[in-house]
Coordinates of all heavy atoms in Angstrom, one line a residue:
K332 N -70.0 340.1 44.0 CA -70.6 339.4 45.1 C -71.6 338.5 44.5 O -72.7 338.9 44.0 CB -71.2 340.4 46.1 CG -71.7 339.7 47.3 CD -72.1 340.8 48.3 CE -72.7 340.1 49.6 NZ -73.4 341.1 50.4
T333 N -71.3 337.2 44.5 CA -72.1 336.2 43.7 C -73.6 336.2 44.1 O -74.5 336.1 43.2 CB -71.5 334.8 43.7 OG1 -70.1 334.9 43.5 CG2 -72.1 333.9 42.7
D334 N -73.8 336.2 45.4 CA -75.3 336.1 45.8 C -76.0 337.3 45.3 O -77.2 337.2 44.9 CB -75.3 336.1 47.4 CG -75.0 334.8 47.9 OD1 -75.2 333.7 47.2 OD2 -74.4 334.7 49.0
D335 N -75.4 338.5 45.3 CA -76.0 339.7 44.7 C -76.2 339.6 43.2 O -77.2 340.1 42.7 CB -75.2 341.0 45.1 CG -75.3 341.3 46.6 OD1 -75.9 340.4 47.3 OD2 -74.9 342.4 47.0
L336 N -75.2 339.0 42.6 CA -75.4 338.8 41.1 C -76.6 338.0 40.8 O -77.4 338.3 39.9 CB -74.1 338.2 40.5 CG -74.1 337.9 39.0 CD1 -74.3 339.2 38.2 CD2 -72.8 337.2 38.6
I337 N -76.8 336.9 41.6 CA -77.9 336.0 41.4 C -79.2 336.8 41.6 O -80.2 336.7 40.8 CB -77.8 334.8 42.3 CG1 -76.6 333.9 41.8 CG2 -79.1 334.0 42.4 CD1 -76.3 332.8 42.8
E338 N -79.2 337.7 42.6 CA -80.4 338.5 42.9 C -80.7 339.4 41.7 O -81.8 339.6 41.2 CB -80.2 339.3 44.2 CG -81.4 339.9 44.7 CD -81.2 340.7 46.0 OE1 -80.2 340.5 46.7 OE2 -82.0 341.7 46.2
G339 N -79.6 340.0 41.2 CA -79.7 340.9 40.0 C -80.3 340.1 38.8 O -81.1 340.7 38.0
I340 N -79.8 338.9 38.6 CA -80.3 338.1 37.4 C -81.8 337.8 37.6 O -82.6 337.9 36.7 CB -79.5 336.8 37.3 CG1 -78.0 337.1 37.0 CG2 -80.1 335.9 36.2 CD1 -77.1 335.9 37.1
R341 N -82.2 337.5 38.9 CA -83.6 337.2 39.2 C -84.4 338.5 38.9 O -85.6 338.4 38.6 CB -83.8 336.8 40.6 CG -83.2 335.4 40.9 CD -84.0 334.7 41.9 NE -83.6 333.3 42.0 CZ -82.9 332.8 43.0 NH1 -82.5 333.6 44.0 NH2 -82.5 331.5 43.0
M342 N -83.8 339.7 39.1 CA -84.6 340.9 38.9 C -84.6 341.3 37.4 O -85.1 342.3 37.0 CB -83.8 342.1 39.6 CG -84.0 342.2 41.1 SD -82.6 343.2 41.9 CE -82.3 344.5 40.8
H343 N -84.1 340.4 36.5 CA -84.0 340.6 35.1 C -83.2 341.8 34.7 O -83.5 342.5 33.7 CB -85.4 340.7 34.5 CG -86.2 339.5 34.7 ND1 -86.0 338.2 34.2 CD2 -87.3 339.3 35.5 CE1 -86.8 337.3 34.6 NE2 -87.6 337.9 35.5
K344 N -82.1 342.1 35.5 CA -81.3 343.2 35.2 C -80.4 343.0 34.0 O -80.1 343.9 33.2 CB -80.4 343.5 36.5 CG -79.4 344.6 36.4 CD -80.1 345.9 36.0 CE -80.5 346.7 37.2 NZ -81.0 348.1 36.7
F345 N -80.0 341.7 33.8 CA -79.0 341.4 32.8 C -79.5 340.8 31.5 O -80.3 339.8 31.6 CB -77.9 340.5 33.4 CG -77.2 341.1 34.6 CD1 -77.6 340.7 35.9 CD2 -76.2 342.0 34.4 CE1 -77.0 341.3 37.0 CE2 -75.6 342.6 35.5 CZ -76.0 342.2 36.8
A346 N -79.1 341.3 30.3 CA -79.3 340.5 29.1 C -78.4 339.3 29.1 O -78.7 338.3 28.6 CB -79.0 341.4 27.9
G347 N -77.2 339.5 29.6 CA -76.2 338.4 29.6 C -75.2 338.6 30.6 O -74.9 339.8 31.0
V348 N -74.6 337.5 31.1 CA -73.5 337.6 32.1 C -72.5 336.6 31.6 O -72.8 335.4 31.4 CB -74.0 337.2 33.5 CG1 -72.8 337.1 34.5 CG2 -75.0 338.2 34.0
G349 N -71.2 337.1 31.4 CA -70.2 336.2 31.0 C -69.0 336.2 32.0 O -68.5 337.3 32.3
L350 N -68.7 335.0 32.6 CA -67.7 335.0 33.6 C -66.6 334.0 33.3 O -66.9 332.8 33.0 CB -68.4 334.5 35.0 CG -69.6 335.3 35.5 CD1 -70.2 334.6 36.7 CD2 -69.2 336.7 35.8
D351 N -65.4 334.5 33.3 CA -64.3 333.5 33.2 C -63.7 333.2 34.6 O -62.9 332.3 34.7 CB -63.2 334.2 32.3 CG -62.1 333.2 31.9 OD1 -62.4 332.0 31.6 OD2 -60.9 333.6 32.0
V352 N -64.1 334.0 35.6 CA -63.6 333.8 37.0 C -64.8 333.9 37.9 O -65.8 334.6 37.6 CB -62.6 335.0 37.3 CG1 -61.3 334.8 36.5 CG2 -63.2 336.3 37.0
Y353 N -64.8 333.2 39.0 CA -65.9 333.2 39.9 C -65.4 332.9 41.3 O -64.3 332.4 41.5 CB -66.9 332.1 39.5 CG -66.3 330.9 38.9 CD1 -65.9 329.8 39.6 CD2 -65.9 330.9 37.5 CE1 -65.3 328.7 39.1 CE2 -65.2 329.8 37.0 CZ -64.9 328.7 37.7 OH -64.3 327.7 37.2
E354 N -66.2 333.4 42.3 CA -65.6 333.4 43.7 C -65.1 332.0 44.1 O -64.2 331.9 44.9 CB -66.7 333.9 44.6 CG -66.9 335.4 44.5 CD -67.7 335.9 45.7 OE1 -68.9 335.8 45.7 OE2 -67.1 336.4 46.6
E355 N -65.8 330.9 43.7 CA -65.5 329.6 44.2 C -64.3 328.9 43.6 O -64.0 327.8 43.9 CB -66.7 328.7 44.1 CG -67.8 329.1 45.1 CD -69.1 328.3 44.8 OE1 -69.3 328.0 43.7 OE2 -69.8 328.1 45.8
E356 N -63.7 329.6 42.6 CA -62.7 328.8 41.8 C -61.5 328.3 42.6 O -61.0 327.2 42.4 CB -62.3 329.5 40.5 CG -61.4 330.7 40.7 CD -61.2 331.4 39.4 OE1 -60.6 330.7 38.5 OE2 -61.6 332.5 39.2
T357 N -61.1 329.1 43.7 CA -60.0 328.6 44.4 C -60.3 327.5 45.4 O -59.4 326.8 45.9 CB -59.4 329.8 45.3 OG1 -60.5 330.4 45.9 CG2 -58.6 330.8 44.5
N358 N -61.6 327.2 45.6 CA -62.0 326.0 46.4 C -62.0 324.7 45.6 O -62.4 323.7 46.2 CB -63.3 326.2 47.1 CG -63.4 327.5 47.8 OD1 -62.4 328.1 48.2 ND2 -64.6 328.0 48.1
N359 N -61.7 324.8 44.4 CA -61.7 323.6 43.5 C -63.1 322.9 43.6 O -63.2 321.7 43.6 CB -60.6 322.6 43.9 CG -59.3 323.2 43.5 OD1 -59.2 323.9 42.6 ND2 -58.3 322.8 44.2
V360 N -64.1 323.8 43.6 CA -65.5 323.3 43.8 C -65.9 322.2 42.8 O -66.5 321.2 43.1 CB -66.4 324.5 43.9 CG1 -67.4 324.4 42.8 CG2 -67.1 324.5 45.2
F361 N -65.4 322.4 41.6 CA -65.8 321.4 40.6 C -64.9 320.3 40.3 O -65.1 319.4 39.5 CB -66.1 322.2 39.2 CG -67.3 323.1 39.4 CD1 -67.1 324.5 39.5 CD2 -68.5 322.6 39.7 CE1 -68.2 325.3 39.7 CE2 -69.6 323.4 39.9 CZ -69.4 324.8 39.9
E362 N -63.8 320.2 41.2 CA -63.0 319.0 41.1 C -63.7 317.9 41.9 O -63.6 316.7 41.6 CB -61.6 319.2 41.6 CG -60.8 319.8 40.5 CD -59.4 320.2 40.9 OE1 -58.9 319.7 41.9 OE2 -58.8 321.1 40.3
D363 N -64.4 318.2 43.0 CA -65.1 317.3 43.8 C -66.6 317.5 43.3 O -67.2 318.4 43.7 CB -65.0 317.5 45.3 CG -65.8 316.6 46.1 OD1 -66.6 315.9 45.5 OD2 -65.7 316.7 47.3
R364 N -67.1 316.6 42.5 CA -68.4 316.8 41.9 C -69.5 316.2 42.7 O -70.6 315.9 42.2 CB -68.4 316.3 40.5 CG -67.6 317.0 39.6 CD -67.3 316.2 38.3 NE -66.4 317.0 37.5 CZ -66.8 317.9 36.6 NH1 -68.1 318.1 36.4 NH2 -66.0 318.5 35.9
S365 N -69.3 316.1 44.0 CA -70.4 315.5 44.8 C -71.7 316.4 44.8 O -71.6 317.6 44.7 CB -70.0 315.3 46.3 OG -69.9 316.6 46.9
D366 N -72.8 315.8 44.8 CA -74.1 316.5 44.7 C -74.2 317.5 45.8 O -74.7 318.6 45.6 CB -75.3 315.5 44.9 CG -75.4 314.7 43.6 OD1 -74.8 315.1 42.6 OD2 -76.2 313.7 43.6
E367 N -73.7 317.2 47.0 CA -73.8 318.1 48.1 C -73.1 319.4 47.8 O -73.6 320.5 48.0 CB -73.3 317.4 49.4 CG -73.8 318.1 50.6 CD -73.0 317.7 51.9 OE1 -72.3 316.6 51.8 OE2 -73.0 318.5 52.8
I368 N -71.8 319.3 47.3 CA -71.1 320.5 47.0 C -71.7 321.3 45.9 O -71.9 322.5 46.0 CB -69.6 320.1 46.6 CG1 -68.9 319.7 47.9 CG2 -68.9 321.3 46.0 CD1 -67.4 319.7 47.9
L369 N -72.2 320.6 44.9 CA -72.8 321.3 43.8 C -74.1 322.0 44.2 O -74.4 323.1 43.8 CB -73.1 320.4 42.6 CG -71.8 320.0 41.8 CD1 -72.2 319.0 40.7 CD2 -71.1 321.2 41.2
E370 N -74.8 321.4 45.1 CA -76.1 321.9 45.6 C -75.9 323.3 46.3 O -76.6 324.2 46.2 CB -76.7 320.9 46.6 CG -78.2 321.0 46.7 CD -78.7 319.9 47.6 OE1 -78.5 318.7 47.2 OE2 -79.2 320.2 48.7
H371 N -74.8 323.3 47.1 CA -74.5 324.6 47.8 C -73.6 325.5 47.1 O -73.2 326.6 47.6 CB -73.9 324.2 49.2 CG -74.8 323.4 50.1 ND1 -74.7 322.1 50.3 CD2 -75.9 323.8 50.7 CE1 -75.7 321.7 51.1 NE2 -76.5 322.7 51.3
S372 N -73.3 325.2 45.9 CA -72.3 326.0 45.1 C -73.1 327.2 44.4 O -74.0 327.0 43.7 CB -71.6 325.2 44.1 OG -71.4 325.9 42.9
T373 N -72.6 328.4 44.7 CA -73.2 329.6 44.0 C -72.9 329.5 42.5 O -73.7 330.0 41.7 CB -72.7 330.9 44.6 OG1 -71.3 330.9 44.6 CG2 -73.3 331.2 46.0
T374 N -71.8 328.9 42.1 CA -71.4 328.9 40.7 C -72.5 328.0 40.0 O -72.9 328.3 38.9 CB -70.0 328.3 40.5 OG1 -69.2 329.0 41.4 CG2 -69.5 328.5 39.1
A375 N -72.8 326.8 40.7 CA -73.8 325.9 40.1 C -75.1 326.6 39.9 O -75.9 326.5 39.0 CB -73.9 324.7 40.9
R376 N -75.5 327.5 41.0 CA -76.7 328.2 40.9 C -76.7 329.2 39.7 O -77.7 329.4 39.0 CB -77.0 329.0 42.2 CG -77.7 328.1 43.2 CD -77.6 328.7 44.6 NE -78.3 329.9 44.8 CZ -77.9 330.9 45.7 NH1 -76.9 330.7 46.4 NH2 -78.6 332.0 45.8
L377 N -75.5 329.8 39.5 CA -75.4 330.8 38.4 C -75.6 330.0 37.1 O -76.3 330.6 36.1 CB -74.0 331.4 38.4 CG -73.7 332.6 39.2 CD1 -72.3 332.9 39.2 CD2 -74.6 333.8 38.8
L378 N -75.1 328.8 37.0 CA -75.2 328.1 35.7 C -76.6 327.7 35.4 O -76.9 327.2 34.3 CB -74.3 326.8 35.8 CG -72.8 327.1 35.6 CD1 -72.0 325.9 36.0 CD2 -72.6 327.5 34.1
S379 N -77.5 327.7 36.4 CA -78.9 327.3 36.1 C -79.6 328.4 35.3 O -80.7 328.2 34.8 CB -79.6 327.0 37.4 OG -79.8 328.2 38.1
F380 N -79.1 329.6 35.2 CA -79.7 330.7 34.4 C -79.4 330.6 32.9 O -78.2 330.5 32.6 CB -79.4 332.1 35.0 CG -79.8 332.3 36.4 CD1 -79.0 332.2 37.4 CD2 -81.2 332.6 36.7 CE1 -79.4 332.4 38.8 CE2 -81.6 332.7 38.0 CZ -80.7 332.6 39.0
P381 N -80.4 330.8 32.0 CA -80.1 330.6 30.6 C -79.2 331.8 30.0 O -78.7 331.6 28.9 CB -81.5 330.6 30.0 CG -82.4 331.3 31.0 CD -81.8 331.0 32.3
N382 N -79.1 332.9 30.7 CA -78.4 334.0 30.2 C -77.0 334.1 30.8 O -76.3 335.2 30.7 CB -79.1 335.3 30.3 CG -79.5 335.6 31.7 OD1 -79.5 334.7 32.6 ND2 -80.0 336.9 32.0
V383 N -76.5 333.1 31.4 CA -75.2 333.1 32.1 C -74.2 332.2 31.3 O -74.6 331.0 31.1 CB -75.2 332.7 33.6 CG1 -73.9 332.7 34.2 CG2 -76.1 333.7 34.3
M384 N -73.1 332.6 31.0 CA -72.1 331.8 30.4 C -70.8 331.8 31.3 O -70.3 332.9 31.6 CB -71.7 332.2 29.0 CG -70.7 331.4 28.4 SD -70.6 331.5 26.6 CE -69.4 330.3 26.3
I385 N -70.3 330.6 31.6 CA -69.1 330.6 32.5 C -68.1 329.8 31.8 O -68.3 328.7 31.3 CB -69.4 330.0 33.9 CG1 -70.5 330.8 34.6 CG2 -68.2 329.9 34.7 CD1 -70.8 330.4 36.0
T386 N -66.9 330.3 31.8 CA -65.7 329.5 31.3 C -64.7 329.3 32.5 O -64.8 330.1 33.5 CB -65.0 330.1 30.1 OG1 -64.7 331.5 30.4 CG2 -65.9 330.1 28.9
S387 N -63.8 328.4 32.3 CA -63.0 328.0 33.5 C -61.6 328.7 33.6 O -60.6 328.0 33.5 CB -62.9 326.5 33.4 OG -62.1 326.0 34.5
H388 N -61.7 330.0 33.7 CA -60.4 330.8 33.8 C -59.5 330.5 32.7 O -58.3 330.1 32.9 CB -59.7 330.5 35.2 CG -58.9 331.7 35.6 ND1 -58.8 332.2 36.9 CD2 -58.1 332.5 34.9 CE1 -58.0 333.2 36.9 NE2 -57.5 333.5 35.7
Q389 N -60.0 330.7 31.5 CA -59.2 330.3 30.3 C -58.8 331.6 29.5 O -58.2 331.4 28.4 CB -60.0 329.4 29.4 CG -61.2 330.0 28.7 CD -61.9 329.1 27.7 OE1 -62.6 328.2 28.1 NE2 -61.6 329.3 26.4
G390 N -59.0 332.7 30.0 CA -58.7 334.0 29.3 C -57.3 334.0 28.8 O -57.0 334.4 27.7

Side-chain angles (χ1 to χ4, degrees):
K332 189 171 179 194
T333 312
D334 285 328
D335 288 9
L336 177 62
I337 290 170
E338 194 180 335
I340 294 167
R341 290 215 172 102
M342 286 158 37
H343 302 292
K344 181 55 92 173
F345 300 99
V348 173
L350 305 174
D351 189 42
V352 289
Y353 33 94
E354 286 194 277
E355 289 173 326
E356 68 186 299
T357 44
N358 303 344
N359 291 330
V360 119
F361 294 109
E362 275 174 25
D363 176 352
R364 290 163 182 274
S365 73
D366 287 348
E367 200 195 337
I368 287 197
L369 286 177
E370 207 175 296
H371 294 107
S372 146
T373 51
T374 315
R376 275 165 65 209
L377 275 174
L378 281 168
S379 69
F380 295 103
N382 54 346
V383 175
M384 176 162 186
I385 301 185
T386 53
S387 180
H388 207 140
Q389 70 174 77

